[in-house]
Amino acid sequence: MAEDKNIRDAGLKVTLPRVRILEIFENSKERHLTADDVYKMILESGDEVGLATVYRVLTQFESAGILEKLNFESGHSVYELSNNPEFDDHHDHMVCVKTGKVIEFTSQTIEDKQKEVANSHGYKLIDHRLVLYVEPKEDND
């Protein structure tokens, strides 16, 4: 199984909770999942894994570079696969303040502007995270 290889490559022992959690991220239509989302999906599948185990595995996967944890201002934290096949390189996020939905996007214009701003201050941009907090538009906007 690909999950077993990914777990072993990260230097972790292959266990049922680790395999199940990685399968959830690889097969879910949702790219961003909370620990509670993962826990509910495990319960729905009939597996018996405790919430504390879910948190521990998510932390291990984050440390191993399998998952990336995104912390948003509302205290809302989600995890996503580090090697997201939808994006070749860097991507940014929008978070709907009404629903909590996380939307991924790329914009070369934004990437270029950030490099320009760093350069104008005498720096070279090496990394960044951009999160836009949004709400649905009203029909009359």
Side-chain angles (χ1 to χ4, degrees):
M1 291 178 92
E3 291 86 6
D4 292 2
K5 182 180 181 322
N6 292 339
I7 292 169
R8 269 193 230 97
D9 287 350
L12 299 169
K13 183 178 173 188
V14 176
T15 64
L16 176 65
R18 289 180 181 144
V19 170
R20 287 294 300 126
I21 290 170
L22 189 53
E23 285 174 345
I24 286 170
F25 277 94
E26 290 179 342
N27 298 322
S28 176
K29 291 179 185 174
E30 288 295 320
R31 306 290 312 158
H32 303 91
L33 300 170
T34 66
D36 287 337
D37 294 335
V38 173
Y39 180 64
K40 288 175 191 169
M41 291 176 176
I42 287 175
L43 291 180
E44 288 169 4
S45 73
D47 290 322
E48 292 188 26
V49 175
L51 184 57
T53 300
V54 170
Y55 275 101
R56 186 172 50 255
V57 170
L58 292 174
T59 299
Q60 291 167 344
F61 282 0
E62 180 187 7
S63 295
I66 295 171
L67 295 178
E68 187 173 336
K69 183 177 182 179
L70 306 168
N71 298 305
F72 300 121
E73 284 182 12
S74 63
H76 182 150
S77 295
V78 296
Y79 294 85
E80 69 178 349
L81 286 171
S82 294
N83 59 347
N84 186 334
E86 291 182 34
F87 297 100
D88 291 336
D89 194 13
H90 176 80
H91 65 274
D92 295 304
H93 297 89
M94 289 188 293
V95 178
C96 178
V97 296
K98 295 198 179 209
T99 65
K101 181 177 179 177
V102 179
I103 303 110
E104 296 175 324
F105 71 95
T106 60
S107 169
Q108 192 57 50
T109 302
I110 291 173
E111 298 302 313
D112 293 343
K113 191 63 174 175
Q114 291 174 122
K115 289 176 187 171
E116 179 186 316
V117 168
N119 188 48
S120 72
H121 289 276
Y123 292 92
K124 177 179 132 183
L125 182 65
I126 58 169
D127 194 16
H128 76 278
R129 288 199 182 205
L130 175 66
V131 179
L132 304 176
Y133 294 92
V134 299
E135 64 183 12
K137 288 174 61 173
E138 298 291 330
D139 287 339
N140 58 0
D141 281 351

